[in-house]
Amino acid sequence: MTKRIGITTTVPHEIIVAAGYVPVDLNNVFADDADSEAMVASAEDEGFPAGVCAWIKGLYAAMRAGRADAVVTVVNGDCSNTQSLAEVLRHRGIETIPFSFPAKPQPDLVERALQDFAAELGTELAAAERVRRDWQDIRRNLAELDRLAWRENKITSAELHHWLLSSSDFGGDANAFGRELDAFLDDARRRPAQPVALPLALLGVPPIFTDLFARLEERGARFVFCEVPRQFSMPYECRDLVEQFCRYTYPYDLNHRLDDLLPQLAERRVAGAVHYVQAFCHRQIDHIVIKDKSPIPVLALEGDRPGTLSGQAVTRLDAFLEMLA
């Protein structure tokens, strides 16, 4: 059986595949589980504090359940709790593989980080580059899906979010993912356009709520821009893997994110933005800058554990949509 390498955030999974392994995004394992709340509870039963992000607990529970054979732990460019998570996983006898994004998206720094990761996995950057080229059509189709969502109004919020989010690991099988995406796009192109009264942007990390997209669509609103999932899809033509991960905004400073985010808000003519912030996450502080820099109204919507929107969250969301309308 091919060794499964868990990932806790989007990393160069071209390198994982080039090394002969199967990438498994543990975030998607957690989010798609029929009882993700039980996964959080199981981590807490093992000693994880209540005041730690539910995603960290879900990642831990997924590894304890054997959903991957080893895990890449990103100690720079993602969650500040990942280093401590790695310590606990190693204590439990689980293999961890270090990876760090550089502090700045400079080509020489990014190339060195990718080379170190490739060496850690027993492969070379040239092999990963061949994988990148093999995946170019998939990434172009993801960009086309994004275009169908905002320009042609043929994709729902949930569909847009699902496909872009799944691009973090291509479900562990890029060929099958590509075929399924082709079939979905063929169907979507034949749909009649469904214009939306309130086009919105979703900023920040993927939300833990299970009913956010349905609630919005019921109220005549739709996300036509999903910032971080779109970044996972790497929606740009690049010369090589180094440029691809220089243009990837999530691991770097907020100005790098804003350089990509603000033009997208203008081009897509969104009415407002929902900035999802995860409880106990250091990225909540980003909202101060995002709100000040954004040319449109921005609602900070906080989530904690997996499940539906709370009554308070629904009330705040309704008030925000009324204000926009």
Side-chain angles (χ1 to χ4, degrees):
M1 181 178 176
T2 304
K3 187 174 182 179
R4 300 162 301 168
I5 304 293
I7 58 176
T8 60
T9 186
T10 293
V11 299
H13 61 125
E14 292 88 347
I15 294 175
I16 295 174
V17 171
Y21 303 127
V22 174
V24 178
D25 190 329
L26 300 172
N27 297 283
N28 296 342
V29 170
F30 169 50
D32 294 341
D33 193 273
D35 196 355
S36 50
E37 173 60 33
M39 296 177 73
V40 174
S42 70
E44 291 175 341
D45 288 343
E46 291 199 36
F48 277 74
V52 167
C53 166
W55 287 101
I56 286 288
K57 298 170 191 173
L59 298 173
Y60 174 78
M63 287 303 299
R64 289 286 278 165
R67 301 299 294 271
D69 305 303
V71 59
V72 177
T73 51
V74 178
V75 294
N76 188 59
D78 187 34
C79 175
S80 58
N81 287 319
T82 302
Q83 187 163 349
S84 295
L85 173 64
E87 296 285 356
V88 178
L89 289 172
R90 285 194 292 270
H91 175 66
R92 299 297 189 205
I94 294 170
E95 180 187 355
T96 63
I97 301 165
F99 176 71
S100 290
F101 287 100
K104 296 181 180 180
Q106 295 175 351
D108 58 330
L109 301 179
V110 171
E111 183 173 15
R112 192 175 311 138
L114 299 185
Q115 287 173 337
D116 289 347
F117 188 45
E120 188 74 32
L121 290 175
T123 188
E124 296 179 348
L125 205 51
E129 180 59 28
R130 290 193 289 272
V131 175
R132 184 195 71 85
R133 289 196 294 268
D134 289 343
W135 290 355
Q136 282 182 305
D137 285 345
I138 296 176
R139 297 207 183 276
R140 288 173 184 138
N141 280 342
L142 288 165
E144 168 66 3
L145 176 133
D146 188 41
R147 188 192 68 82
L148 288 172
W150 74 269
R151 189 178 286 278
E152 296 196 20
N153 294 302
K154 292 186 176 184
I155 306 288
T156 68
S157 299
E159 290 169 337
L160 177 65
H161 191 263
H162 163 75
W163 281 104
L164 296 181
L165 201 62
S166 299
S167 65
S168 61
D169 65 352
F170 293 152
D173 186 338
N175 291 329
F177 181 90
R179 290 192 298 270
E180 292 165 10
L181 179 58
D182 282 341
F184 177 79
L185 288 175
D186 286 344
D187 174 72
R189 290 186 185 101
R190 290 193 293 267
R191 297 174 182 176
Q194 297 290 333
V196 62
L198 285 174
L200 301 177
L202 176 63
L203 312 182
V205 298
I208 206 166
F209 299 122
T210 57
D211 62 341
L212 175 61
F213 307 118
R215 291 270 189 179
L216 283 173
E217 302 263 354
E218 288 168 1
R219 289 157 173 76
R222 183 185 305 147
F223 288 127
V224 297
F225 176 58
C226 295
E227 181 211 356
V228 172
R230 175 177 169 271
Q231 283 296 314
F232 292 170
S233 74
M234 311 289 172
Y236 19 70
E237 296 288 336
C238 297
R239 292 185 304 274
D240 54 26
L241 202 61
V242 171
E243 183 186 356
Q244 181 174 303
F245 278 88
C246 283
R247 297 185 65 180
Y248 178 48
T249 65
Y250 177 75
Y252 306 116
D253 65 85
L254 193 50
N255 284 332
H256 194 56
R257 279 177 62 192
L258 290 168
D259 286 344
D260 174 80
L261 188 163
L262 294 179
Q264 291 297 322
L265 298 181
E267 184 176 21
R268 299 175 193 228
R269 298 182 180 180
V270 295
V274 174
H275 182 203
Y276 177 76
V277 292
Q278 179 66 34
F280 312 113
C281 178
H282 70 279
R283 290 182 182 269
Q284 285 187 323
I285 303 170
D286 292 349
H287 184 70
I288 298 169
V289 179
I290 288 173
K291 187 176 181 181
D292 286 350
K293 293 280 190 178
S294 173
I296 57 174
V298 182
L299 171 71
L301 191 65
E302 182 181 85
D304 182 8
R305 302 172 82 91
T308 57
L309 289 156
S310 67
Q312 181 185 36
V314 171
T315 299
R316 295 186 67 242
L317 194 59
D318 283 345
F320 182 67
L321 295 179
E322 282 184 26
M323 182 270 293
L324 294 178

